[in-house]
Amino acid sequence: MPRPHGFAYTATAAGTVHITHHDKPATTLGGPRAARFLQEVTAGDPQLVMARWTGNYRRGNERTAREHPRNRR
């Protein structure tokens, strides 16, 4: 499975965190969720943490699902 890439985040003085993926807004976190995210992103792999928090990561079954007869066009 390829590693996630293209994520970036910006923390504001108001305590919110804006996460983007390839320069497009992915999510905005505020309050305790933003604080927990900032702790987690500094402790681990930032790209993987941002992918997990936005829900934008591959699960490994995309190729299998694409080949299913129901999904063919």
Side-chain angles (χ1 to χ4, degrees):
M1 184 164 69
R3 293 177 40 83
H5 66 282
F7 287 97
Y9 74 93
T10 306
T12 65
T16 60
V17 175
H18 301 283
I19 301 175
T20 59
H21 186 241
H22 295 291
D23 296 326
K24 295 179 184 171
T27 191
T28 301
L29 305 171
R33 292 190 70 208
R36 196 168 75 210
F37 167 79
L38 290 172
Q39 288 177 347
E40 209 171 302
V41 79
T42 56
D45 178 20
Q47 292 294 307
L48 188 60
V49 171
M50 286 183 274
R52 192 170 47 78
W53 275 78
T54 60
N56 188 358
Y57 58 95
R58 296 186 181 259
R59 292 159 183 86
N61 64 350
E62 287 83 7
R63 183 172 296 153
T64 306
R66 183 176 50 217
E67 298 300 325
H68 193 276
R70 163 181 72 225
N71 296 328
R72 293 181 189 230
R73 293 184 186 196

